[in-house]
Amino acid sequence: MEGSLRGKVWRSMVEKRREGRLHFTLIDPDKTSPSEAERIARIAREAGSDFILVGGSLGVSPEATDSVVEAAKRQGMPTIIFPGALNNVSRRADAALFLTIINSDDPYYHGIAQVQGAMIVLYHGLEPIPTCYVIVGYGGTAGFMIRARPIPYDKPELVAAHALACSMMGSKIVYLEAGSGAPKPVPPEAIEMSRNMIAMAGLETLIIVGGGVRSEETARMLARSGADGLVTGTIAEESPELLASIIRAFKES
Ligand code: 1GP
């Protein structure tokens, strides 16, 4: 059994959060070769990103996931599986986001996927990080494939109610997802209301946000509305310079 079940990655997330906000670089093994993944991991590390997420919604093979995880780890980045499906769960990673997909209409994602995934995570010796996934607005390929009922952009109170439920159900992370390439990110009001409701309940769940972040201005807005972490995917492939300035803007706001 490789890896560790002792909570190292989660602890480092909490410790890093005490020092500042967190940035996650998402690499999709279907779109990225291992050499490209290593290049992105190097750019991400140099730009101040904290963790690599590996996963995708379509066309991701176990072999491609293994190679991308190995390549990212060569750059010394803690690497976490963000599974679009069970075939994304690589034993080479350090941890896996163990997902509850709270607004999927598909019963498969409300128990069956988790029961199947739990054994694989255990056998691979991966650290499970209980994470609740909330699809907002556009939703992208992820939203379509998991049959999400995306929460409309103009219903921040509905996003907050989902985030609160996730937090009360014991998730360590609430992941608010607008979808890769979303025309608009998760609205700041939704993050702020989620943050406030979770605090009112006396809980300490981390809120991470992703999808459609392409500017420093957006990163700043998301930070100010109370996001603990930001996930970016597309931007690392397009412009390392922009990635660095987005990370800086998010962490320094
Ligand atoms: C992570 O799906 C996102 O939550 C990644 O989105 O590719 O738009 O950065 P982008």
Side-chain angles (χ1 to χ4, degrees):
M1 191 187 279
E2 295 176 30
S4 145
L5 289 172
R6 296 199 197 105
K8 236 168 80 187
V9 176
W10 170 248
R11 270 203 305 278
S12 83
M13 236 178 247
V14 171
E15 276 157 25
K16 278 172 187 273
R17 179 64 187 103
R18 284 199 198 107
E19 290 153 24
R21 292 191 184 83
L22 309 170
H23 182 269
F24 301 77
T25 300
L26 174 63
I27 303 178
D28 183 339
D30 180 49
K31 299 192 182 122
T32 319
S33 67
S35 59
E36 183 62 3
E38 187 166 356
R39 192 182 76 90
I40 292 174
R42 181 179 48 75
I43 291 167
R45 179 175 49 74
E46 288 170 359
S49 185
D50 301 290
F51 300 93
I52 299 290
L53 294 180
V54 176
S57 303
L58 211 54
V60 180
S61 70
E63 294 74 21
T65 310
D66 282 348
S67 323
V68 162
V69 168
E70 276 170 7
K73 289 194 70 173
R74 278 198 288 277
Q75 287 298 315
M77 295 285 286
T79 302
I80 305 170
I81 296 298
F82 172 31
L86 295 180
N87 57 9
N88 293 190
V89 185
S90 165
R91 65 171 68 240
R92 316 255 182 253
D94 300 300
L97 298 184
F98 196 79
L99 297 175
T100 298
I101 303 169
I102 194 163
N103 59 337
S104 166
D105 275 347
D106 189 337
Y108 172 72
Y109 293 108
H110 295 285
I112 303 166
Q114 290 80 1
V115 171
Q116 290 180 330
M119 303 295 279
I120 300 174
V121 168
L122 181 72
Y123 292 159
H124 285 358
L126 297 172
E127 176 187 333
I129 304 179
T131 300
C132 194
Y133 199 42
V134 185
I135 306 273
V136 181
Y138 171 73
T141 308
F144 182 84
M145 293 307 295
I146 62 180
R147 292 192 212 219
R149 195 149 37 90
I151 303 172
Y153 279 116
D154 61 351
K155 292 284 174 200
E157 69 284 4
L158 209 44
V159 176
H162 281 68
L164 181 64
C166 289
S167 180
M168 287 186 173
M169 289 193 298
S171 289
K172 291 183 170 176
I173 294 175
V174 173
Y175 189 148
L176 303 179
E177 171 73 274
S180 185
K184 282 198 284 181
V186 173
E189 304 76 29
I191 301 167
E192 206 175 323
M193 286 181 81
S194 301
R195 173 89 288 150
N196 291 342
M197 283 207 196
I198 291 171
M200 276 165 69
L203 295 165
E204 287 182 349
T205 316
L206 291 182
I207 298 178
I208 68 175
V209 183
V213 179
R214 292 183 206 86
S215 72
E216 294 171 48
E217 200 189 341
T218 305
R220 240 177 251 119
M221 176 183 80
L222 298 175
R224 289 184 186 143
S225 57
D228 298 295
L230 171 66
V231 184
T232 58
T234 318
I235 210 71
E237 296 148 29
E238 287 173 3
S239 164
E241 295 73 27
L242 185 55
L243 175 68
S245 59
I246 284 177
I247 294 175
R248 219 175 303 117
F250 183 68
K251 292 197 171 201
E252 289 170 5
S253 296

